[in-house]
Amino acid sequence: MIILADNVNVLSGVGPKRLEALHELDIFTIEDLISYFPFRYEDLGERLPSETLDGEKVTFKGIVSTPPVVSRFGKKNQTRFGLLIDHENVRVTFFNQPWIAQNIDVGQEAAIYGTYNAAKAALTGMKMINASADALDPIYPASKQVSGKTIRHLVELAWADVRGTVDSLVPENIRTKYRLLDRNQQIENMHFPPDMPAAKAARRSSAFEEFFVFQMRLQLLKLADQNFAGEAVNYDSEALRAFENQLPYTLTSAQHKVIDEILQDQKRPRHMNRLLQGDVGSGKTVVAAMAMYAAVTGGLQAVMMAPTEILAQQHAINLSQLFDNAGLSLRIELLTSGLKVTARRQLLADLVSGEIDIIVGTHALLQPDVAFHHLGLAVIDEQHRFGVNQRAKLRENGVNPDILAMTATPIPRTLSITAYGEMDVSVIDQLPSGRKTIQTTRLSHNQLDQAISFVKTQIDDGAQAYIVTPLIEESETLDVQNATAMYETMQLEFPQYSIGLLHGRLSNEEKKVLMADFKANRIQILVATTVIEVGVDVPNASIMLILDADRFGLAQLHQLRGRVGRGTRQSYTMLIADPKTDYGTARLDAMVETTDGFVLAQRDLELRGSGDILGTKQSGVPEFAVGDPIKDLTMMEIAQQEAITLVSQDDWDQHPDNQALVDYLSRTMARYRHFD
């Protein structure tokens, strides 16, 4: 007797080679096999020629009316015969399947699936099918080593033994609430549906089960993380209030809301794992500063990690100015790979002794010799650029410090509840008052002179401009603008102004000097590659000209646009491109239509699909076998809410109705422990 937990090699016909091929498809056990569902069905239901459209795939059932004839031409052949269907004769042709002639005789009943040519009353046969077969033929995801036909055969073998023995993973009260099938019926109708409505109902139940189990895993990870002892930060509320009062601007209500959420987390004696997302320019840095200052007033240290040296340097400068202007004498240091040996040794000694309150840095913070006196908070900027192992390493450097991950890449709801479902999420969905909407226009390459003329009028009026190109130097393979050529052109176009050239091949020191000169308006036009995409803050820069804009992703274009509109001037972004594809055109149209990063992120997701937007292998965006987290977002949200409700109940894992789910999660959790 076969059981669900058995290795799939208990089935007849599964030897070592086939077993290895099944493992490639993530099929290890009988349960994996019966949960390996078809991705579509071919409708094999019979019809009459008069009911069939030209070019439609169809099954005709009738009586063979003429003897089969095999004709050969070169290495190819065709088999022809007549099929009488309700007094109408249809000519059937099979290409390169001569054996069919051996299996049919005049007067025999036959069912043939193929493509119908209405004008010629002819059917190009694809396969002979059992005249009494099911109306729907399941099509399975297959590989070179394992065909869909083999998978179907193995499913039939396994299901014959385990049919009726499969416990439901979704608790009965949830199934009743949303009219879901129990797991036996769901699996039966996924593999062997009697008709299309039954297949659709089974797919709906399977998609919900998949989402629900996934969300249960995330909630259990979250619970485990929260139960892992953290440290309550006994911050000084009065000091925080005084710091806020000294800020040169008033915080928005959205900033106040997320600061409250973060401070509540810090006060609890459990580990904080929070994602702070906010559009470009929404004021995430000052929120992080409040959280770090809270840790410092509680006698702890804080660290801020950024993906690039430019961004780390800028954060260190901005934080120092922020606290200095508020009259606070905090010691803030910068640790990057470029630090001299002696200075680094002294800095690390001061870090261990507790003399440094806040340290800002890059990956250099993850080196084995970096240790803290008492680390209470780790802020990770542009967190999607760091892997989970790097974040874990940073956490291990302290007494399990609170983690505040920040991103200026707006994450649509779909990804927020899949890729980051185990984190608490705070959103700054409001820009500071006084910010003007950036005007975005799309121009073709033959309008470049017009764009440069507009840049001239703005520069003459005291503004500064970015000109962004996809490449540093000329490329023989891509017909796109390059930074070096554009830099030379701008020097000719603007002889009275200072032009800078910024790209990734410059040393960190050269980049630092260039950015300082641009910020101080010693450089009026900065020609750059995407090295300016994140974190560069020059309030007087109000023009962004992006060449070959169709070469950039939507999220990248939005990040680039976010470099302007940071001051009081009206800002402009001009996209120069002649897109060759509908996808390229749709991206640019979306940029012109909205400046809302969350709207753009959702649009990007719809255009590209969840598998591409962050890259599933790098980002941890899960791949679902049945459900589509974009199209089925409402279902995913309901599954998430039901999972949260379930795990919040006392002794939920002891309830008899939940035992199948508990057992399944226990068996499979190890496979899914690295979500990010």
Side-chain angles (χ1 to χ4, degrees), residues 201-237:
R203 181 162 289 277
R204 177 175 176 270
S205 296
S206 298
F208 185 89
E209 178 194 274
E210 187 177 30
F211 289 162
F212 178 70
V213 168
F214 173 78
Q215 289 296 338
M216 284 297 299
R217 290 190 184 114
L218 286 183
Q219 294 311 314
L220 292 178
L221 282 176
K222 191 171 178 177
L223 279 177
D225 197 39
Q226 289 177 354
N227 292 334
F228 191 61
E231 184 169 7
V233 178
N234 295 311
Y235 55 78
D236 185 335
S237 300

Side-chain angles (χ1 to χ4, degrees), residues 64 66-71 73 77-83 90-95 97-98 100-101 104 120 122-123:
V64 178
T66 63
V69 176
V70 179
S71 308
F73 41 99
N77 60 72
Q78 57 186 25
T79 304
R80 289 184 173 179
F81 57 90
L83 191 69
V90 171
R91 188 180 70 203
V92 179
T93 304
F94 277 93
F95 290 95
Q97 298 184 56
I100 282 173
I104 55 171
K120 295 180 179 178
L123 184 75

Side-chain angles (χ1 to χ4, degrees), residues 249-262:
Y249 40 74
T250 304
L251 296 180
T252 64
S253 57
Q255 285 173 310
H256 275 130
K257 177 174 163 287
V258 300
I259 288 170
D260 287 344
E261 289 169 350
I262 292 164

Side-chain angles (χ1 to χ4, degrees), residues 194-490:
D195 51 39
M196 197 53 86
K200 285 181 178 175
R203 181 162 289 277
R204 177 175 176 270
S205 296
S206 298
F208 185 89
E209 178 194 274
E210 187 177 30
F211 289 162
F212 178 70
V213 168
F214 173 78
Q215 289 296 338
M216 284 297 299
R217 290 190 184 114
L218 286 183
Q219 294 311 314
L220 292 178
L221 282 176
K222 191 171 178 177
L223 279 177
D225 197 39
Q226 289 177 354
N227 292 334
F228 191 61
E231 184 169 7
V233 178
N234 295 311
Y235 55 78
D236 185 335
S237 300
E238 289 301 319
L240 283 173
R241 200 171 291 115
F243 172 47
E244 184 185 338
N245 290 337
Q246 292 300 315
L247 292 173
Y249 40 74
T250 304
L251 296 180
T252 64
S253 57
Q255 285 173 310
H256 275 130
K257 177 174 163 287
V258 300
I259 288 170
D260 287 344
E261 289 169 350
I262 292 164
L263 291 176
Q264 283 172 22
D265 274 359
Q266 288 180 284
K267 187 169 272 185
R268 295 190 187 106
R270 66 167 176 78
H271 172 248
M272 173 172 76
N273 188 22
R274 187 168 285 278
L275 174 67
L276 171 60
Q277 50 172 326
D279 213 341
V280 225
S282 61
K284 293 181 300 301
T285 305
V286 72
V287 170
M290 290 288 283
M292 288 189 281
Y293 185 49
V296 171
T297 65
L300 306 173
Q301 293 169 300
V303 61
M304 188 174 199
M305 191 159 74
T308 66
E309 290 208 5
I310 281 188
L311 192 50
Q313 287 162 351
Q314 189 162 297
H315 277 317
I317 292 167
N318 289 347
L319 288 172
S320 295
Q321 288 176 347
L322 208 56
F323 289 118
D324 286 349
N325 292 342
L328 299 170
S329 57
L330 270 61
R331 183 173 169 190
I332 298 167
E333 295 289 353
L334 176 68
L335 176 62
T336 62
S337 55
L339 203 61
K340 298 278 193 300
V341 176
T342 310
R344 176 187 168 84
R345 193 179 298 125
Q346 185 59 54
L347 188 147
L348 294 183
D350 292 350
L351 192 61
V352 172
S353 68
E355 290 178 43
I356 295 172
D357 298 302
I358 295 171
I359 188 159
V360 183
T362 57
H363 293 79
L365 287 164
L366 302 174
Q367 295 301 315
D369 59 342
V370 177
F372 296 85
H373 176 66
H374 199 156
L375 181 60
L377 174 67
V379 177
I380 300 167
D381 195 19
E382 289 306 316
Q383 66 85 37
H384 62 280
R385 295 182 176 216
F386 294 99
V388 67
N389 292 332
Q390 292 170 318
R391 298 212 291 275
K393 197 169 181 182
L394 186 62
R395 182 190 295 177
E396 287 159 12
N397 276 341
V399 189
N400 190 34
D402 289 332
I403 297 282
L404 178 63
M406 303 198 302
T407 180
T409 304
I411 301 166
R413 183 77 182 133
T414 307
L415 292 186
S416 179
I417 63 176
T418 53
Y420 305 104
E422 85 282 16
M423 300 179 84
D424 292 308
V425 180
S426 290
V427 180
I428 305 178
D429 52 7
Q430 182 183 9
L431 289 177
S433 59
R435 287 278 172 94
K436 294 175 182 173
T437 303
I438 301 166
Q439 292 183 16
T440 305
T441 53
R442 178 181 145 202
L443 303 168
S444 62
H445 276 101
N446 59 21
Q447 294 174 292
L448 180 57
D449 288 346
Q450 182 182 326
I452 290 174
S453 176
F454 178 75
V455 172
K456 273 184 179 172
T457 62
Q458 293 295 307
I459 300 291
D460 289 344
D461 193 41
Q464 289 170 272
Y466 296 100
I467 298 179
V468 178
T469 73
L471 298 175
I472 298 172
E473 292 162 352
E474 268 192 69
S475 162
E476 293 177 8
T477 54
L478 288 177
D479 180 24
V480 292
Q481 296 287 339
N482 60 82
T484 309
M486 183 50 62
Y487 171 66
E488 291 167 357
T489 301
M490 290 299 100

Side-chain angles (χ1 to χ4, degrees), residues 553-602:
L554 195 48
Q556 201 173 31
L557 287 172
H558 182 59
Q559 287 291 323
L560 288 168
R561 176 167 60 186
R563 296 308 104 218
V564 297
R566 305 176 82 82
T568 54
R569 282 182 176 275
Q570 175 60 56
S571 292
Y572 306 89
T573 294
M574 291 176 282
L575 309 171
I576 310 292
D578 296 306
K580 306 287 191 297
T581 64
D582 291 343
Y583 172 48
T585 303
R587 274 206 317 268
L588 299 182
D589 287 346
M591 281 290 293
V592 173
E593 287 161 14
T594 182
T595 55
D596 187 320
F598 291 96
V599 172
L600 282 172
Q602 186 62 38

